[in-house]
C-alpha cells in the first residue's frame, strides 16, 4: 500500500481562465503528489488580459469550507492566497490560529495583469496572517507595500522576497529569517510573457513540499525548480500574460 499523499488546503480565489488562484493551486499540489482541498474566497471573471469582475463569498461560507476540510480529512499544510475582503481575512486567521501545521501566505494584492485584489482594510489584516504563517511570499511591489525589508524585520516574520518583478537578467529570491543568515537563490531570468499564476504556483508548491515533511529551505528550492519548469512549459494560451504549463512538468 502506497503512502498517503500530504493533505494541502488552499485558501484562495477562483480564476475562471484557470491560470492562477485555486486552479493553479490544485494543479500544482496534484503534480507534486499532494491531495488538494480548497476554501474558495472569491470568484473572478478573468483571463490573461485582466480581471473583469470579482464576487467575494461570505466570510461565514469561507469558514464553513475550512471547517469541513479540517474536521474530516485533516490537513498537513495550508496555502493562503487571494482573500477578497478584510472580514474573510479575519475569519481565515481565526480558523488557523491554533492549527499547528505549516502555513504559506502569499499576500496577493495585485494580479499579474495589474488588477487590484486587496483593499487597504484587507492588507491591514495581513499582519495577523503573517504572524501565523511559517512563510510569507511577497513579490517586489507587495514587499514595498508591507514596509520593505525593515518593515518585515520589525515584525520578526520569515519571508521569501521574490525577485521576479525586479529588473535584470537574473532572478534572485531571498529567504529571510530572524536569527539566521539569509538564503539566496539566483537563476537566469526566463524570458516569457506567460507568467500568469507564478506566485500562486510557487506558494502552493512550497506548501505541498512542507506538507510532505521537507524543511523550509528544501521546500523553497524544489518549489522554485517546479515553477521554472512550468514557465518553460507554458502552452502559450491567451493574448496577454498566459498561464504556466503545470501539467507538462515531469
Amino acid at each position: 500500500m502506497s503512502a498517503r499523499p500530504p493533505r494541502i488546503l488552499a485558501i484562495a480565489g477562483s480564476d475562471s481562465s484557470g491560470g492562477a488562484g485555486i486552479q493553479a493551486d490544485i494543479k500544482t499540489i496534484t503534480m507534486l503528489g499532494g491531495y488538494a482541498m480548497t476554501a474558495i474566497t472569491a470568484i473572478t471573471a478573468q483571463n490573461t488580459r485582466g480581471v473583469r469582475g470579482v464576487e467575494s463569498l461570505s466570510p461565514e461560507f469561507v469558514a464553513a469550507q475550512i471547517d469541513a476540510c479540517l474536521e474530516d480529512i485533516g490537513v498537513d499544510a495550508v496555502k493562503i492566497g487571494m482573500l477578497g475582503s478584510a472580514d474573510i481575512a479575519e475569519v481565515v486567521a481565526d480558523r488557523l490560529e491554533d492549527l499547528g501545521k505549516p502555513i504559506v501566505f502569499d499576500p496577493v494584492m495585485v494580479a499579474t495583469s495589474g488588477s487590484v485584489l486587496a483593499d487597504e482594510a484587507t492588507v491591514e489584516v495581513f499582519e495577523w496572517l503573517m504572524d501565523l504563517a511559517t512563510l510569507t511570499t511577497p513579490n517586489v511591489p507587495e514587499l514595498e507595500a508591507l514596509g520593505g525589508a525593515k518593515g518585515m524585520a520589525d515584525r520578526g516574520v520569515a519571508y521569501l522576497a521574490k525577485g521576479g518583478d525586479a529588473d535584470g537578467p537574473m532572478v534572485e529570491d531571498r529567504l529571510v529569517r530572524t536569527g539566521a543568515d539569509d538564503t539566496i537563490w539566483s537563476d537566469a531570468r526566463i524570458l516569457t510573457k506567460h507568467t500568469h499564476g507564478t506566485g500562486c504556483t510557487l506558494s502552493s508548491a512550497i506548501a505541498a513540499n512542507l506538507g510532505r515533511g521537507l524543511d523550509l529551505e528544501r521546500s523553497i528550492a524544489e518549489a522554485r525548480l517546479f515553477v521554472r519548469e512550468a514557465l518553460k512549459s507554458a502552452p502559450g494560451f491567451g493574448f496577454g500574460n498566459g498561464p504556466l504549463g503545470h501539467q507538462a512538468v515531469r
Side-chain angles (χ1 to χ4, degrees):
M1 181 177 178
S2 61
R4 288 187 175 185
R7 304 158 296 176
I8 313 300
L9 174 61
I11 304 172
S14 169
D15 172 6
S16 58
S17 68
I22 283 290
Q23 286 81 353
D25 297 336
I26 293 172
K27 294 172 189 176
T28 300
I29 293 164
T30 302
M31 290 302 296
L32 291 174
Y35 178 80
M37 298 173 288
T38 65
I40 298 175
T41 58
I43 300 170
T44 69
Q46 67 173 292
N47 55 31
T48 65
R49 288 174 163 172
V51 179
R52 298 182 178 181
V54 179
E55 294 281 350
S56 293
L57 277 71
S58 71
E60 294 77 17
F61 198 72
V62 174
Q65 293 176 78
I66 296 172
D67 291 343
C69 293
L70 298 184
E71 292 169 3
D72 181 29
I73 292 177
V75 67
D76 295 303
V78 177
K79 172 262 170 75
I80 305 170
M82 174 190 170
L83 291 165
S85 74
D87 289 341
I88 291 174
E90 287 183 355
V91 80
V92 168
D94 178 72
R95 284 303 191 274
L96 301 181
E97 180 82 57
D98 299 313
L99 184 64
K101 299 290 184 179
I103 298 171
V104 179
F105 175 41
D106 184 15
V108 178
M109 300 179 191
V110 180
T112 303
S113 61
S115 302
V116 176
L117 298 176
D119 59 20
E120 186 175 342
T122 304
V123 174
E124 288 181 3
V125 188
F126 284 6
E127 299 287 344
W128 188 0
L129 290 166
M130 286 189 289
D131 187 54
L132 294 177
T134 307
L135 182 72
T136 300
T137 61
N139 60 24
V140 173
E142 289 163 353
L143 180 58
E144 182 178 351
L146 294 170
K150 183 181 186 307
M152 297 299 276
D154 290 344
R155 296 180 180 96
V157 300
Y159 68 97
L160 181 69
K162 300 180 296 187
D165 294 317
D167 296 325
M170 303 296 289
V171 173
E172 180 181 288
D173 298 328
R174 179 184 295 264
L175 171 62
V176 182
R177 292 172 291 180
T178 302
D181 293 336
D182 294 357
T183 302
I184 300 172
W185 293 268
S186 184
D187 292 284
R189 185 178 300 277
I190 298 170
L191 299 177
T192 177
K193 70 173 185 176
H194 300 296
T195 58
H196 186 53
T198 307
C200 305
T201 299
L202 179 65
S203 54
S204 290
I206 296 170
N209 291 335
L210 288 170
R212 62 190 179 99
L214 300 187
D215 64 31
L216 186 57
E217 288 192 16
R218 187 176 171 192
S219 293
I220 294 170
E222 294 197 6
R224 292 182 75 258
L225 291 175
F226 180 85
V227 171
R228 290 183 63 80
E229 290 304 311
L231 282 166
K232 294 175 184 177
S233 303
F237 294 152
F239 295 98
N241 298 299
L244 311 187
H246 300 86
Q247 298 91 331
V249 178
R250 291 291 182 267

